[in-house]
Amino acid sequence: MELINTTLVSQIKAVIKEAQERAIRAVDHERTLMYWHIGKYIFEEEQQGKDRAEYGKHLIDFLAVQLEPEFGSGFGRRQLYLFVQFFKAFPIVNALRSQLNWTQYRLLSRIEDTDKRAFYIAESIKNHWTSRQLERQINSLLYERLLMSNDKESVLAVANGEKQVSEAKEIIKDPMVLEFLGLKRESSYYEKDLEQSIITHLQEFLLEMGNGFSFVARQKRILLEDDEFFVDLVFYNRLLQCFVIIEIKTHKLTHQDVGQLQMYVNYYDRVERLAHENPTIGILLCTDKNDTVVKFSLPENQKHIVASKYELILPTETQLKQAIETELEKYPTHEF
């Protein structure tokens, strides 16, 4: 008996899995369309009774009593309200994207700002975000944080693929939100502890940093004559086509910190960078940012050093509007 090609089984399995995934996406899209039509019918009926203030509430209550016993809790009062909210947020059925599932649309329906909602839709599709990843980015105020250093048109253009990334600030968030590291507000910690937490949660860290990041090295050893130096973290960004060096500091930014990072940037530009690649970007993760120090410690019009504050808890919208330096003064840290 002749030997059967060993790749045959793997090929068939791949076909089966692909078909199953397509079927799951198709079923979820049909479910999303069903919820949209239910929301549409309820909304249109509500509009007919708009002269009666309580008509909408009574209508939902009535429908829940009729539907829930037969079709389950997925058609209770709360779900029916969500269907109406979904229809109001997405009134054009042809605009619904099959790449997004019902859970993602449920999250997106809560966003009232149309530009903000369009941003998260584009980013979810482009980056293949799961529902959990989308929820985290919304809760960490990704859109608002990007707007702190970019205009709205630029942020939306990059998200929709209408504009190519040309500067680091277009994809690097400031402040970064690193609540997934599990470091408590009241805890003291050392730089190596923070670094270890970032490595441990590398996937989440890359997601927080932005698009196109991949991990290269940790504690990268650099030997200059007889002196040894160690770069905390090294990434590569395929969109910017450049190395991204990260130094972690748990104290206020100093001239020495900026000078050290500049030395690492120069090393990578002169030794590691290839001819077709762009200049290396340096990032200082620090407890405070002093723009004056950065400005006078670097050559004029320098764009490759980015000082970014890290936050250890999810900030509220109000906290983002306040001076972050004031908040960070409350965090006890060790001096080095």
Side-chain angles (χ1 to χ4, degrees):
M1 180 178 178
E2 295 183 1
L3 292 176
I4 299 177
N5 187 348
T6 56
T7 62
L8 178 61
V9 175
S10 60
Q11 290 174 333
I12 293 176
K13 286 182 178 180
V15 171
I16 294 173
K17 289 180 180 179
E18 289 176 5
Q20 288 175 333
E21 291 174 359
R22 287 197 301 270
I24 291 172
R25 287 195 298 269
V27 169
D28 192 89
H29 187 60
E30 286 300 319
R31 179 176 66 156
T32 300
L33 292 176
M34 175 183 67
Y35 293 158
W36 184 91
H37 282 98
I38 294 173
K40 175 177 181 290
Y41 293 145
I42 296 175
F43 176 77
E44 291 176 346
E45 179 63 25
E46 284 180 338
Q47 296 306 297
Q48 294 181 16
K50 60 185 177 180
D51 293 335
R52 295 156 55 187
E54 295 296 314
Y55 183 71
K57 180 179 181 301
H58 291 311
L59 176 61
I60 293 290
D61 290 341
F62 171 78
L63 290 174
V65 171
Q66 299 298 315
L67 298 174
E68 192 169 11
E70 183 175 351
F71 297 104
S73 60
F75 296 89
R77 292 179 64 259
R78 182 173 178 275
Q79 295 300 317
L80 294 177
Y81 275 117
L82 288 176
F83 299 161
V84 176
Q85 184 183 37
F86 174 43
F87 170 75
K88 290 180 179 179
F90 299 91
I92 303 176
V93 67
N94 292 335
L96 298 179
R97 308 293 294 272
S98 60
Q99 298 96 323
L100 301 177
N101 59 43
W102 165 241
T103 303
Q104 290 172 314
Y105 270 119
R106 187 174 59 190
L107 293 169
L108 293 165
S109 298
R110 301 170 185 169
I111 301 175
E112 295 182 0
D113 187 303
T114 55
D115 287 334
K116 180 178 176 180
R117 191 190 309 135
F119 167 81
Y120 282 116
I121 291 173
E123 286 293 295
S124 295
I125 294 174
K126 181 173 64 177
N127 296 301
H128 306 287
W129 284 348
T130 63
S131 300
R132 184 177 179 181
Q133 289 171 335
L134 171 60
E135 183 176 24
R136 181 188 175 276
Q137 297 291 40
I138 293 174
N139 290 340
S140 66
L141 304 179
L142 170 62
Y143 179 72
E144 288 80 359
R145 285 184 286 128
L146 284 176
L147 287 185
M148 291 175 69
S149 57
N150 298 275
D151 60 90
K152 181 182 295 186
E153 289 72 21
S154 176
V155 170
L156 293 175
V158 171
N160 288 314
E162 300 167 357
K163 175 184 177 182
Q164 295 298 315
V165 177
S166 59
E167 293 186 17
K169 69 176 185 178
E170 293 176 338
I171 60 172
I172 295 175
K173 297 97 172 181
D174 180 13
M176 293 182 183
V177 179
L178 307 183
E179 89 294 339
F180 51 79
L181 298 181
L183 298 174
K184 305 301 181 183
R185 174 191 285 267
E186 65 273 14
S187 299
S188 298
Y189 52 91
Y190 291 96
E191 292 179 13
K192 62 181 179 61
D193 299 323
L194 178 58
E195 177 191 326
Q196 178 61 55
S197 295
I198 291 176
I199 295 298
T200 303
H201 300 83
L202 186 58
Q203 181 178 352
E204 293 89 342
F205 182 66
L206 290 175
L207 177 62
E208 171 57 26
M209 286 191 67
N211 300 324
F213 283 93
S214 59
F215 176 67
V216 176
R218 174 190 179 189
Q219 288 297 315
K220 170 68 174 178
R221 179 175 176 267
I222 294 178
L223 183 63
L224 299 177
E225 296 183 351
D226 294 329
D227 294 324
E228 275 188 330
F229 300 91
F230 294 89
V231 183
D232 286 342
L233 296 168
V234 181
F235 293 88
Y236 190 85
N237 188 281
R238 61 182 179 82
L239 299 180
L240 292 176
Q241 291 191 326
C242 69
F243 286 102
V244 180
I245 292 174
I246 298 178
E247 278 294 288
I248 302 167
K249 304 297 178 184
T250 54
H251 54 241
K252 186 174 181 178
L253 183 64
T254 66
H255 284 279
Q256 291 80 5
D257 296 330
V258 177
Q260 182 185 50
L261 182 62
Q262 183 64 64
M263 179 180 67
Y264 295 158
V265 168
N266 291 342
Y267 173 86
Y268 263 80
D269 277 344
R270 298 167 187 173
V271 178
E272 302 287 347
R273 181 164 68 101
L274 300 178
H276 69 278
E277 293 176 325
N278 292 316
T280 303
I281 294 172
I283 300 176
L284 281 171
L285 287 179
C286 50
T287 55
D288 193 11
K289 180 173 67 175
N290 189 323
D291 290 330
T292 303
V293 172
V294 174
K295 179 179 179 181
F296 288 102
S297 297
L298 300 173
E300 189 176 359
N301 298 324
Q302 173 64 266
K303 294 182 179 180
H304 301 137
I305 301 293
V306 180
S308 179
K309 288 168 276 193
Y310 56 73
E311 291 290 335
L312 303 182
I313 61 170
L314 284 175
T316 64
E317 190 168 357
T318 301
Q319 286 174 321
L320 282 175
K321 295 178 181 178
Q322 297 172 347
I324 300 178
E325 292 86 350
T326 302
E327 288 295 317
L328 288 173
E329 288 176 359
K330 302 176 184 178
Y331 302 155
T333 59
H334 288 283
E335 297 294 334
F336 295 90

